[in-house]
Structure formats: C-alpha cells, structure tokens
Amino acid sequence: THTLKKTTTSTSPPKNRDPQSPINIMATQRLWRSLRDAAKHKPMTGIPEGSPRAELPANLESLESPLGQQWKEQARTEDKLIASVQRQEHPAFCGIAAAATVAASADGAITEQIRFSEAFDLNGFQSSVFEHYGWGPWGTVMDYMPALFKRNLLQHIQYDGVPMNVLAEWFRVQGWKAEPISAGDADLQTFRKDIEAAFPAKQEPATTSSSSAGGQEGKHYVMVNYSRVVVGQILFSGGHYAPIGGFHPELDKVLILDVNTRRYPSVWADLPLVWDAVHTQTGNGAWRGYLRLQAPPPTAPPADSEQ
C-alpha cells in the first residue's frame, strides 16, 4: 500500500527564509506567472469542431487508417483503454484528460475532467500538491493551508497545466500505485521494460493469476509526457501527455492515444522514437518523463446466493 505524504493544518509551516534571496525571488515570479497564466488561459477554447487535423509525418501511422487498424489486430492492445479515450476539454487539460482516460478504463472513482480536483477530497486534501509546481517555499506553505483553499487554488491553477508529480498523487489518492519516472534518471531499456509490463504476452489460462480477486493484481499502464516536435508533430508542437494504448513487439511500435483528438489522431510510432520524445527537457530545464501506473486490484463480485 502506498503511504501518502500528508500535511496537517495543526502544525505551522516551516519558516520562510530570506524572501529577498535570489531563489525565493524566482519562486515568487514563478508563482505569479502560474496564477496569471491560469487566469489568461481559462477562457480559452479548443479548435472548432470539424476543423481539419494537422498532417501526420511519414513516420507516424494513424490508428484510424487501414494499416493502423491492421497493426491493432496484430499488437498487444488494451481495448478498453482505447475505447475510453477522452477529448481534452480545455487546451491546458492534456494531462488531466490523459489521466481521466486511464482512470475510466479501470472504472476509477473520478473520471470527469472537470472534477479533477475532487479526487484529493478522498483524503481530505492532505496530499502535498503545490510543492510540485516549482514555487519554492510558497508551494510548501500552500500545502499547509485548509482544504477549501487548496481545492479552490487547484481548480484555478489547473488551467495552466498539471505537473506529472501531481498527476501521480491524483492516482494515489484513488488507490493506484503511481511512480513518476524522470527521463533524466531512466533509459530506453527501462522504458521498454515498463511498456512490456503494461502489455505482456498473452498467457495460457492455466498460467494466469488466480481467478479470485484476492489473487489478482491491478493492470499496469504507462502514461507519457513527451515532445510533439521530436515525433514529427510540428504543428501544436509543445509538450503533451498521452496514455500508451498498445505495443506491437514485431514492429517495435507503441500506440500513442492522443487526447487532443481535434488536432491529431492516435498514432503508431516506433518505440525508440517515443523514448527520444520523452527523454527531453522543458523550457525551464526540467526533464519530461512518464508515469508507471498500476490500478487497484479488481474487486470480487458479490457471491450469488441464488443459483
């Protein structure tokens, strides 16, 4: 069981160091930019329904094409995950939409994007959330604030995007195992191993785990944060979040489930290329990466007393 890092409102937050120090000045500037940009972004809308999608480069194959569908039939895929793909409801919601897609495929408690912050109510908003925003001591102080303050702040700041560590905590409060993997601390071999764990070769019935819920483990998932431009998506080419929906071992390709469905379809891409796109840094020097996820164990259905 994952142990949550908790904060308490009864304990005073750590005393702030010199507010005029260069580090604290930069943290204050980042906090101000986050609040300002969230306010600017909130009224934004996505591209209109029916707008033409961006053209795909030759190295990507749309899942919707005949060849993409053929590869889907040949590959190890998670059909319920593919069917659960949600279109992001706001330009800043790619991480939220990707997380909601994964949660919906496993019948999670919170699957609506607009209800993202409600997951943290499941533990009384005791999770450390704002320390992951790069706000220095301000993030730590805000994690000591009352739950109502934290909920309202997250509902605002989500319009400037959500860090990977916050997405991981979002899964944890709902009973998932979630581990953020920094691309700076991993390599292609590690990424490949996690993809193979999420899409194992089919086993014979006699070798599968116990049929009782107590003997089963939750499914594994991989959700990537990657650079679009590295995979060749040069239009709308910033960072993006997406669940991985399949693995084709013979072709060494993975299926990127795109939640920005009005801009790009879900695509098959070479696994090493996807790793290259994950193994990148953001404008502030932070590494991108991926989430290694495992759903809660399935619940045994109630016994039927009437046969």
Side-chain angles (χ1 to χ4, degrees):
T1 303
H2 181 85
T3 301
L4 294 172
K5 181 179 179 181
K6 296 183 177 180
T7 59
T8 58
T9 55
S10 59
T11 303
S12 298
K15 294 205 178 282
N16 196 1
R17 297 175 180 174
D18 179 9
Q20 298 302 315
S21 73
I23 293 177
N24 284 350
I25 291 174
M26 290 175 62
T28 303
Q29 291 171 341
R30 285 195 295 268
L31 169 61
W32 168 246
R33 282 196 298 269
S34 294
L35 295 171
R36 178 200 64 193
D37 291 349
K40 288 170 57 179
H41 297 162
K42 188 173 182 178
M44 293 173 62
T45 59
I47 60 178
E49 184 77 40
S51 299
R53 284 173 166 171
E55 185 177 351
L56 287 179
N59 61 322
L60 302 180
E61 186 65 40
S62 170
L63 174 63
E64 300 167 5
S65 72
L67 184 57
Q69 286 294 302
Q70 178 183 325
W71 288 350
K72 177 178 178 291
E73 295 304 314
Q74 299 168 348
R76 307 171 190 172
T77 57
E78 177 52 45
D79 290 342
K80 189 171 182 181
L81 179 60
I82 295 171
S84 299
V85 171
Q86 297 187 18
R87 173 180 294 164
Q88 65 184 78
E89 297 171 358
H90 185 274
F93 279 16
C94 63
I96 293 175
T101 291
V102 174
S105 74
D107 303 318
I110 306 294
T111 59
E112 295 90 349
Q113 296 173 46
I114 200 63
R115 295 179 59 207
F116 175 78
S117 66
E118 293 180 25
F120 295 98
D121 289 326
L122 297 174
N123 75 339
F125 246 102
Q126 295 183 64
S127 302
S128 295
V129 174
F130 301 109
E131 69 175 26
H132 302 301
Y133 278 84
W135 300 339
W138 299 115
T140 303
V141 168
M142 289 178 183
D143 276 326
Y144 279 84
M145 292 295 183
L148 179 60
F149 174 90
K150 295 170 72 174
R151 184 184 307 111
N152 289 336
L153 178 58
L154 183 57
Q155 287 173 349
H156 174 73
I157 211 69
Q158 67 187 4
Y159 289 98
D160 192 41
V162 180
M164 188 165 62
N165 283 310
V166 175
L167 294 172
E169 195 63 28
W170 184 83
F171 279 104
R172 291 180 193 133
V173 296
Q174 298 181 79
W176 290 62
K177 293 180 180 179
E179 184 179 1
I181 307 299
S182 169
D185 298 327
D187 55 22
L188 174 59
Q189 183 178 359
T190 303
F191 183 60
R192 183 184 298 281
K193 182 178 179 181
D194 287 328
I195 293 293
E196 290 174 345
F199 301 98
K202 291 184 179 179
Q203 297 177 318
E204 295 297 326
T207 63
T208 57
S209 58
S210 169
S211 59
S212 66
Q216 290 182 347
E217 291 188 347
K219 273 193 59 61
H220 293 261
Y221 298 85
V222 172
M223 196 174 99
V224 295
N225 177 220
Y226 67 104
S227 166
R228 280 198 187 275
V229 71
V230 172
V231 298
Q233 295 175 325
I234 58 175
L235 190 62
F236 314 113
S237 56
H240 194 54
Y241 283 99
I244 298 298
F247 174 46
H248 197 311
E250 288 76 18
L251 299 178
D252 202 26
K253 292 182 181 290
V254 293
L255 176 60
I256 301 173
L257 297 178
D258 206 314
V259 293
N260 201 339
T261 56
R262 291 181 181 173
R263 290 181 173 176
Y264 285 107
S266 296
V267 295
W268 289 100
D270 292 338
L271 188 151
L273 175 64
V274 175
W275 168 248
D276 287 343
V278 170
H279 192 247
T280 53
Q281 293 170 280
T282 64
N284 64 10
W287 283 100
R288 293 189 172 92
Y290 63 96
L291 286 179
R292 181 188 291 154
L293 300 168
Q294 186 176 8
T299 304
D304 188 352
S305 58
E306 296 184 29
Q307 301 294 329

